[in-house]
Amino acid sequence: MGNNKKSKRMSLKEIEKMIQEQVEDQQPSEVESLALDDQKFSKFSPELKAKLESYPNLVELSLINCGLTSLENFPNLPNLQAIDLADNHLSPQELNVVAKFTNLQRLILSKNKIKDFDDLKPLAALKLIEVDFTECEIAKKPNYPDKLFQMFSTLEVKFGNEDM
């Protein structure tokens, strides 16, 4: 099996085991951060959604390289302040889901299908401090940094197209 693990779809049981290893003996209300990086699932099943919602004080969720194509059934986590969705297959329409997280300050979308500033309109009301669009088409646009800072007045850090 060895290297096949990265391309294999993960079962809910395997993901739950990974979560348990991170949580250890903490009560669900004490858990503030979870990383499901490299766990392969294209969207959230109702069961995974329910599992993640059992951590009501989660402020940071990392979903790097999960193969996500949809944020349908994304868990309702009202305290979420940071989401890392790097290296997935998310289209701009999925940003409507992200826009519901009004406490969000840090959003990482590098290596996704974000192409234009119009794609970011659903996020305009968020008070983002940090964004990362590295290796997204949008980072190649003229005046990329200036337009980002105009769109998000609270922005302090941006990544993507660092040559500008």
Side-chain angles (χ1 to χ4, degrees):
M1 272 200 212
N3 292 342
N4 260 355
K5 186 177 181 186
K6 290 213 178 224
S7 62
K8 176 182 137 194
R9 293 274 172 222
M10 301 303 288
S11 72
L12 181 61
K13 196 172 226 102
E14 290 169 308
I15 293 172
E16 286 177 338
K17 182 180 178 197
M18 181 184 195
I19 291 172
Q20 189 56 47
E21 288 171 359
Q22 292 176 55
V23 170
E24 296 177 338
D25 295 331
Q26 294 179 78
Q27 293 299 311
S29 62
E30 297 173 325
V31 177
E32 293 186 351
S33 180
L34 283 176
L36 301 181
D37 301 345
D38 299 316
Q39 303 305 300
K40 300 299 182 188
F41 53 98
S42 59
K43 65 180 182 178
F44 290 86
S45 68
E47 297 82 9
L48 180 55
K49 176 184 183 199
K51 179 66 177 176
L52 291 173
E53 287 176 347
S54 72
Y55 301 101
N57 295 317
L58 206 61
V59 294
E60 185 173 26
L61 182 59
S62 183
L63 299 162
I64 299 170
N65 192 35
C66 290
L68 285 167
T69 57
S70 172
L71 296 180
E72 181 182 346
N73 279 328
F74 195 92
N76 182 20
L77 301 165
N79 296 313
L80 210 54
Q81 295 176 14
I83 304 174
D84 193 335
L85 293 163
D87 206 10
N88 281 290
H89 309 285
L90 297 172
S91 65
Q93 295 82 356
E94 302 306 318
L95 298 183
N96 290 314
V97 174
V98 175
K100 296 175 184 173
F101 295 97
T102 56
N103 292 320
L104 201 62
Q105 296 177 358
R106 191 171 137 252
L107 178 60
I108 311 301
L109 284 164
S110 58
K111 296 185 182 178
N112 276 286
K113 299 176 182 179
I114 312 304
K115 297 179 181 177
D116 206 323
F117 289 98
D118 286 342
D119 296 344
L120 303 181
K121 283 183 180 176
L123 306 176
L126 297 177
K127 302 205 177 336
L128 293 170
I129 294 171
E130 179 182 337
V131 295
D132 186 346
F133 297 108
T134 303
E135 294 189 43
C136 290
E137 285 296 314
I138 192 171
K140 298 174 185 173
K141 297 286 181 185
N143 300 319
Y144 166 74
D146 296 336
K147 287 185 180 179
L148 270 186
F149 283 106
Q150 286 172 2
M151 185 172 265
F152 303 107
S153 61
T154 53
L155 198 61
E156 295 175 11
V157 180
K158 65 92 189 150
F159 298 94
N161 200 0
E162 300 306 323
D163 297 334
M164 293 191 131

